[in-house]
Amino acid sequence: MLPEGVSVGDACLAETVQAGERKRLKGVLLSARKTSPHLLVKFVGTERGEPFTSLSAPGLKSSYLTRREVAAWVAPPEGRGGAAAGPRAANSDEYKLRERR
């Protein structure tokens, strides 16, 4: 009944609908039941494993999902970063706020 490589209490990759589109989020499998959908997943972060921000958080903190919507969690490679990890200016002082005089 559980997806391969996932057991209750483990981190998992869960696919859910958020703002009308399908998103993949990091979750924790809380329980499994006999009636469908079988798996109760609590969402804990983005697909990259980063904590939620007020904009990236799903509307529901947990949801019952089917087996095909849950997979084993595989941490993303270290070298991959999001938009926040983009190129930085050579002189980071130019982005600091100036003091008011």
Side-chain angles (χ1 to χ4, degrees), residues 21-92:
E21 63 181 71
R22 294 202 90 38
K23 295 263 185 169
R24 294 170 58 159
L25 303 171
K26 182 179 181 180
V28 175
L29 181 61
L30 297 179
S31 66
R33 63 181 184 181
K34 290 184 180 183
T35 58
S36 184
H38 302 287
L39 308 173
L40 179 60
V41 175
K42 178 181 178 183
F43 306 115
V44 296
T46 66
E47 182 178 11
R48 290 187 220 119
E50 300 163 346
F52 289 126
T53 64
S54 58
L55 296 175
S56 67
L60 299 172
K61 293 183 181 188
S62 60
S63 182
Y64 280 97
L65 302 174
T66 63
R67 184 175 181 216
R68 73 180 199 340
E69 295 171 319
V70 177
W73 171 254
V74 177
E78 287 295 319
R80 290 179 83 185
R88 306 228 177 204
N91 182 4
S92 62

